[in-house]
């Protein structure tokens, strides 16, 4: 253990564009001596990390990434683990805290025996994709991942069923991959038990990146856009109140039931 207290930042880069990174994210990356992350995510900040010690990992090596970051911080280094979106939403910070808990980490240690850890939040896919397609998240919503790598598929099905039954707008992460082809199809069938076929659906691929593609379609026609579905795609399923206007998903907040939304002037009212 170094006599110098190490720091470990778990940094959310947002959707990928520097314009959508927080000031704090840029600040801690600049401060860091070491950058660790999935290769694709590291590439998003290539111009910000020149001259730093960089470790790039392949997908599914999350445990290795987390352990290396902790080990380097324990040696007194200043480390940033970078990932897209928000590190607290299907991200790295949960795994890092799990490992630290097993190691007996003292969060409030005031000496060199415990490293400083900070989660730097970022704009998640649910925020960035919603901003691109209108206002779909104005009321209660649920978020579910189709990836069954760590969560059994039967548990995911129960969560989808609950979201569909509860009339939640539902954000779907990781809708498909080369090996996962039935999950979104099965999810669509569950939603069709509770939602109309013309329920608005947004499919957004690579939000705010050069590869960005998006479409607003319907629950019935969702699977016609298979070419857009993948690990960097997010799907937003509207609820029973969501409507499509000018190619946008609009989810009423409920103001119509309490207020007159369009104020007519006195002359118009008299007419």
């Amino acid at each position: 253990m170094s006599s110098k207290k190490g720091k470990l930042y778990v940094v959310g880069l947002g959707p990928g564009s520097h314009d959508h990174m927080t000031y704090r994210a840029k600040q801690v990356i600049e401060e860091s001596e070491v950058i660790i992350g999935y290769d694709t995510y590291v590439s998003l900040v290539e111009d910000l990390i020149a001259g730093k010690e960089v470790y790039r990992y392949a997908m599914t090596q999350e445990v290795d990434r987390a352990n290396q970051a902790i080990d380097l911080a324990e040696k007194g280094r200043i480390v940033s683990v970078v990932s897209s979106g928000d590190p607290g939403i299907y991200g790295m910070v949960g795994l890092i805290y799990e490992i630290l808990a097993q190691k007996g980490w003292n969060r409030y240690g005031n000496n060199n025996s415990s490293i400083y850890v900070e989660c730097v939040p970022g704009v998640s896919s649910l925020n960035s994709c919603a901003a691109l397609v209108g206002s779909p998240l104005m009321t209660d919503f649920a978020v579910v991942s189709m990836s069954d790598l760590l969560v059994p598929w039967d548990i995911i099905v129960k969560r989808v069923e609950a979201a569909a039954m509860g009339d939640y707008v539902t954000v779907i992460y990781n809708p498909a991959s080369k090996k996962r082809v039935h999950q979104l199809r099965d999810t669509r069938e569950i939603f069709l038990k509770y939602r109309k076929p013309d329920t608005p659906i947004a499919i957004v691929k690579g939000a705010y990146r050069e590869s960005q593609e998006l479409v607003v379609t319907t629950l019935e026609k969702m699977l016609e856009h298979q070419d857009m579905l993948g690990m960097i795609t997010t799907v937003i399923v509207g609820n029973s109140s969501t409507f499509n206007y000018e190619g946008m998903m609009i989810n009423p907040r409920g103001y119509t039931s309490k207020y007159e939304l369009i104020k007519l002037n006195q002359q118009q009212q008299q007419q």
Side-chain angles (χ1 to χ4, degrees):
M1 182 75 67
S2 169
S3 59
K4 173 187 171 185
K5 185 171 182 177
K7 296 181 180 181
L8 175 53
Y9 298 111
V10 192
V11 188
L13 303 177
S17 164
H18 287 3
D19 291 343
H20 296 94
M21 284 176 60
T22 66
Y23 175 81
R24 181 60 177 161
K26 294 177 182 178
Q27 189 178 48
V28 300
I29 288 172
E30 181 179 355
E31 179 189 348
S32 295
E33 304 162 327
V34 182
I35 305 296
I36 296 174
Y38 170 47
D39 184 62
T40 299
Y41 302 153
V42 172
S43 296
L44 295 175
V45 289
E46 198 80 60
D47 58 322
L48 302 180
I49 59 176
K52 298 183 184 294
E53 192 174 323
V54 179
Y55 296 92
R56 299 169 181 267
Y57 280 86
M59 187 69 79
T60 74
Q61 293 181 316
E62 291 85 358
V63 174
D64 292 336
R65 272 183 261 166
N67 276 303
Q68 184 187 30
I70 293 168
D71 180 61
L72 288 170
E74 288 177 339
K75 292 176 180 176
R77 309 295 297 281
I78 302 175
V79 183
S80 275
V81 176
V82 298
S83 59
S84 66
D86 183 288
I89 302 178
Y90 302 116
M92 285 292 294
V93 76
L95 174 60
I96 286 172
Y97 282 142
E98 285 183 61
I99 294 172
L100 287 169
Q102 288 189 14
K103 291 169 68 74
W105 170 66
N106 181 357
R107 179 182 182 186
Y108 300 105
N110 55 6
N111 53 40
N112 293 327
S113 65
S114 290
I115 61 174
Y116 171 81
V117 180
E118 180 181 338
C119 178
V120 181
V123 177
S124 184
S125 290
L126 64 92
N127 304 109
S128 57
C129 295
L132 288 169
V133 299
S135 55
L137 306 182
M138 287 293 104
T139 55
D140 296 338
F141 62 90
V143 185
V144 63
S145 171
M146 294 288 99
S147 175
D148 55 2
L149 181 64
L150 300 175
V151 180
W153 178 242
D154 60 332
I155 298 296
I156 296 173
V157 167
K158 290 179 181 178
R159 293 172 180 173
V160 171
E161 186 91 31
M165 186 185 305
D167 198 31
Y168 285 93
V169 174
T170 306
V171 182
I172 299 174
Y173 280 55
N174 306 315
S177 70
K178 291 180 180 179
K179 295 182 179 179
R180 286 187 292 103
V181 295
H182 73 87
Q183 283 84 347
L184 193 63
R185 182 184 67 240
D186 295 351
T187 294
R188 173 179 172 273
E189 293 305 313
I190 293 171
F191 274 103
L192 282 170
K193 290 163 51 180
Y194 303 95
R195 311 274 166 96
K196 295 180 180 179
D198 63 355
T199 298
I201 301 287
I203 303 173
V204 184
K205 178 181 179 181
Y208 293 102
R209 301 182 189 179
E210 292 183 2
S211 60
Q212 176 182 297
E213 295 180 62
L214 64 88
V215 64
V216 175
T217 182
T218 64
L219 184 59
E220 183 178 36
K221 298 179 179 180
M222 178 173 66
L223 298 181
E224 294 178 6
H225 302 275
Q226 295 279 359
D227 58 319
M228 291 180 62
L229 301 174
M231 296 297 288
I232 62 169
T233 302
T234 301
V235 177
I236 304 177
V237 181
N239 67 7
S240 60
S241 300
T242 306
F243 64 93
N244 184 333
Y245 177 76
E246 295 286 327
M248 297 186 298
M249 288 178 71
I250 299 177
N251 188 246
R253 181 72 177 87
Y255 292 104
T256 303
S257 62
K258 292 182 176 292
Y259 305 101
E260 181 183 352
L261 299 188
I262 301 177
K263 300 293 185 181
L264 301 177
N265 61 41
Q266 188 173 8
Q267 182 179 2
Q268 288 175 312
Q269 290 176 340
Q270 290 174 347
Q271 293 175 349

